[in-house]
Amino acid sequence: MLGPVSVTTANGGPLPLGPAKRRSLLAMLLAHPNAPVGVERLTEALWDEEPPRHARTVLQGHVSRLRAVFAQYDAAAHGVELLTQGAAYRLRLPETLVDAHRFEESLRLVRRSADPREVVAVLREALGLWQGPAFAGTVHSAPLEAPAQALEELRLTAVEALARAHGQLGDHGAAASVLRTEAAAHPLREPLVAQLMLALARAGRQADALDWFHRTRKLLADEIGVDPAPVLIDAYHALLRTDAPARAHPDTDAPTDAHAHAHAHAHAHADVDNGTARPPAAMAHAAAAGPATTPQLLPRRPRGFIARQDELAALDRITSAAPGSIVTLTGSAGVGKTALAVHWSHRRRADFPDGMLFADLCGFSPTPARDTRAVLREFLLALGVPVERMPGSPAALGARYRELTTGRRLLVVLDNAVDSEQIRPLLPGGDECVTLVTSRDRLDGLVATDAARPVKVGALPAADSTALLAAVLGPEPVAAEPEAAARLAGLCDGLPLALRVAAARLATRPHRGLASFAGELADEQHRLDLLRAEDTGVAAALGLSLRHLPEPARWLFHHLGPHTGATLDTCTAAALADCPPLQAARALDQLAAAQLVVETGPRSYVLHDLVRLFARSLAPDHEPAGLLRLLDHWVQTLLAACAAAEPGGEPCCALPPGARRSAEIRRFADRTAALAWYSAERGTLRAAVEAAVAAGLHDRAWRLVLLQWPLIVWQVRDGWVPLLEQGLASAELDGDPAAQSRASALLGWVLSEEGRPEEALTRLERAPDLAVRAGDFAGEAVARINLAVALMRYGDRERPGGLLADALALAEREGLTETVTLAHQHLAQHLLSVGAAAEAAEHAARGLALAAPLLAAPRRVVLRTLHGEALAALGRTGEAVRQLHEAIREARANAYEEGEVAARSALDGLPEPMWSAGARGRSPLGE
């Protein structure tokens, strides 16, 4: 990652990764090792602008090629594997194999080291890992540029730390040498230039140091029209005092980040004789207020605080770039907003020499929200205003508060705010003050009117969740049961409150063990009860969020319990609540503002498990009717997805008797969109089948299974057998022979693809008779085709022909175009295998004539390949070559790798007569 994205073997040889987009895909997965990265996020990374229509198919092609390269070089032996996880991909690997991980580990090591010699040795080795800009050779897109920039910031931090260590060893020339290259590359990074100036001065090169100052000052004026920051001014004044370099404290010698910028402000406030103090007007304000005090109202540092590096970096970046900034930390109940705010405040205490103010506004609390006047009085007392001189009216309190905060470098933390209106009177008046607000509300109003900068606080990743358990419980129990700890963390949804409550329960009952407690939490009926400790718990925290919502949002929330998955759109919410989609959309927006659902796109949201279980606990009486509406909605959505994924195909079932029609169904633009939805909702649909079976709604259960067939045939070897067995069992319990036939045929085909011939034939042999019993001619034709294909695979040269001919006749009689095409395809394949090339060519040609562009491209690729093979067997080699080239072209255009390989193999198997070179030279593929 630290340079051109590459993978090398143990011998140092590079793997052939292919074009920039494939390297970009790998880079995104490496940036999130061992974590799922969603297809939409990967698409954003590979196409910075509007992605092409077949982006998902192209993405799948790149994944397939990466897997092939990994397999070729035996990556699995080193613990490297590219996995599919729902609508995401996950790169499983030991992180020690990644150069960026080793680099970050080195930085963590030197932070704990007090020996500058060790720091120099470690950082030289760490910086030697860099071979160029991070993620070089990838496409330019925001999802890739963000981690690349973060790594670059870490590299500069390492450079500055290395220079500091050289300085501590007295080697100021080496420090200056390290810094000069980076200062030239980043001429507007003022803390870096300031550090270089001091290093040059200590190395006896004061003139060079002063030259760097004047050069940087001119560049700042010319490029962005600003004066030097205090950090650079302080370094300049230090140079002018001949003894300053020798007296400088090691911590102030290297102002390398936002901490240093703030320190410079503090120095300016304290030293009024050096020409850089606060302006006279600010001093006049402070004098009028009376004797200055330094309030310290911050609560104690939270124990067991874990990770949050991205959020901490965002806070550092925002507050460093814009003095006087307002930052909002927003997120759901129990996600750890207050802990993050207090932790960051303690970490940056030195940046606020004039003090810290803190108030819990009780916006989401069992007690009433704090009165603004009471909070202002508390702040004024902390700022030194005597009780007898306290203003009386709210307006006077606010004016005095803003007066006293002008010209001071204060941090104001406003915790647990209910809305923007509660916050505005408490904003300080000083341009140097930083205000940090936490809330379960998004506070859009504060962003709009006061330019507040939002920082979203989400659930903890899996590794950090486990680390939090270890921090509270101690490392030994977690190390003893790592799999149970990971499962426990997952059941807590990455919610710090839930994790802490779970850890508290385990700490007081150590005999239970992590695996036992995780097993108890897996029971959805009791999970919320188990995540409660005295007056603290997930349900109580969520209840406080719900209490402050408008009635439409509360009403919708009470109906969300039966939902079977995490993703939620307005159509599904409307079906659950039996309301118009527009009403559901408005209520969902209110729930998103309160962080009870997470907005992921237009009309798309995520409902986390603990929130869904809380909704279910509030209105269990709504569940049976709501579940039935939900299942009927899923069946209707699946019918629409089938129509888009297999245009021209015949639906395998109709709506169940008495089904409730949904007010609105999701629309699918094309096959790619439908298959993407299938893949993303696979877990939700599986859970819906389980819920239908548990409720005895077997007529819904088997439909929910069979209507997933477009994804099943596209990803046939992806563990579908248990789901199909459940579908068949539900069809049998429902007494529907047509459903039994189709479930048996599909299950038999999947078993055949998995290499389980005996089980496959048992299912496939039953399917035609069941269809005949039901009078389902379309199902009978499909069943006969599936049985014939399996028999061909197992070497039977007699029965397949008759089965396929019967299927073709049935499909033609019933006008089933897609099934007719399928029958022609397999007849061509069978006839080729028994040496009847002329008939095979005829069936392939008839199938191609029916396989219009609306049908799936893979079907046309297979038919063209069969046609080409049949023509070649008849000696019509030129026509065969043209068909096979066209098959390769279409397969490549649609990222159908398997089809491309088969067509190319057929082409390569042809003899090489005199026409070969010319024909291939004219190929549109440039063969």
Side-chain angles (χ1 to χ4, degrees), residues 6 93 186 190 243 326 381 394 412 441 510 595 770 780 796:
S6 61
L93 79 168
H186 304 274
E190 295 173 79
D243 62 336
I326 303 167
L381 285 170
V412 180
D441 188 85
Q595 313 284 350
L770 285 164
E780 182 186 349
D796 190 324

Side-chain angles (χ1 to χ4, degrees), residues 526-587:
H526 300 102
R527 191 179 305 170
L528 287 177
D529 290 335
L530 290 169
L531 294 177
R532 182 177 65 219
E534 295 185 353
D535 60 342
T536 300
V538 174
L542 292 171
L544 291 170
S545 294
L546 192 63
R547 192 174 74 183
H548 289 81
L549 285 173
E551 174 56 29
R554 289 202 304 272
W555 183 84
L556 177 68
F557 188 82
H558 278 71
H559 286 80
L560 297 182
H563 190 44
T564 57
T567 55
L568 179 69
D569 59 26
T570 54
C571 299
T572 308
L576 279 162
D578 196 18
C579 70
L582 184 58
Q583 181 181 333
R586 289 171 180 162

Side-chain angles (χ1 to χ4, degrees), residues 266-279:
H267 181 75
H269 289 185
D271 187 352
V272 296
D273 295 326
N274 65 8
T276 62
R278 69 178 73 153

